[in-house]
Amino acid sequence: MARYSDGDISGALSYTEEALRNAIHTGSPRMIAMVHARASRAHAKAGDLRASQRAEDAAFTVYDRAGNPDDEPACVYWVSRAELHSWAASNASDLNDPRRALAHYAAIATPHQAETHDDDAYPRSRALRLSREADAHLSLRDVDAAVHTADQAVQAMGGVTSARGTTVLTGLRTKLRAHQQLPAVREFLDRTV
């Protein structure tokens, strides 16, 4: 993650290839899925749609074999279908496909088998995800949905009244300013000064 975040895609992919070889030896579907998901993120950051989707598909496929989290290494307790959808949504956004991003965000809320996703346990992650979802709505020029989802992000952060002190909503607020002639946008910007 550090490698692709710093723009070193080849370094990130080299690490994920080695990590995948090691993860396969653990026999942990969650571990293997997580490594595939990280490779998918690196490919998306590089703008390689096909490679990103191949790694993404591999992540979901291997995750389908995941059982009880207690049967896997403790370090991957957090890897879930919801997390995979969140990463896939980020990939879609990076690859300029906001409709696909929104489909993955919608899938997070859909319960799968016995797996549940507890948004209340991770409010910052939820707020970050919601701000990215709002950005996808804005990319599709659905300003009302963007503001509604951005409001949910603020609520997830505990009703934060200052977006200035957070990095979660700063970029979104900047993009929304282009629509400040709309009352809902103006109200949101005033509330989150």
Side-chain angles (χ1 to χ4, degrees), residues 75-93:
C75 62
V76 291
Y77 72 93
W78 55 275
V79 176
S80 65
R81 186 175 306 282
E83 248 343 281
L84 295 179
H85 279 295
S86 185
W87 286 337
S90 293
N91 293 345
S93 292

Side-chain angles (χ1 to χ4, degrees), residues 61-193:
T61 298
V62 74
Y63 186 82
D64 285 341
R65 296 193 314 259
N68 186 329
D70 294 337
D71 297 335
E72 302 223 25
C75 62
V76 291
Y77 72 93
W78 55 275
V79 176
S80 65
R81 186 175 306 282
E83 248 343 281
L84 295 179
H85 279 295
S86 185
W87 286 337
S90 293
N91 293 345
S93 292
D94 287 349
L95 294 164
N96 299 314
D97 190 348
R99 287 190 202 297
R100 191 166 65 91
L102 290 173
H104 281 291
Y105 287 127
I108 291 170
T110 305
H112 295 277
Q113 298 162 5
E115 181 180 301
T116 59
H117 181 70
D118 184 5
D119 272 336
D120 295 333
Y122 306 100
R124 186 185 179 288
S125 293
R126 180 170 190 256
L128 181 60
R129 187 182 76 246
L130 286 167
S131 68
R132 289 176 178 162
E133 182 178 345
D135 192 41
H137 283 295
L138 199 54
S139 293
L140 293 171
R141 301 194 184 285
D142 188 347
V143 179
D144 290 337
V147 171
H148 175 74
T149 307
D151 274 329
Q152 291 177 326
V154 171
Q155 290 173 12
M157 289 188 288
V160 173
T161 57
S162 174
R164 187 179 306 144
T166 68
T167 58
V168 174
L169 292 174
T170 303
L172 183 59
R173 283 178 42 80
T174 299
K175 290 177 183 178
L176 281 170
R177 282 191 193 106
H179 305 279
Q180 63 187 341
Q181 75 279 8
L182 300 172
V185 173
R186 202 168 36 253
E187 290 169 16
F188 175 80
L189 293 172
D190 289 345
R191 273 194 320 275
T192 58
V193 172

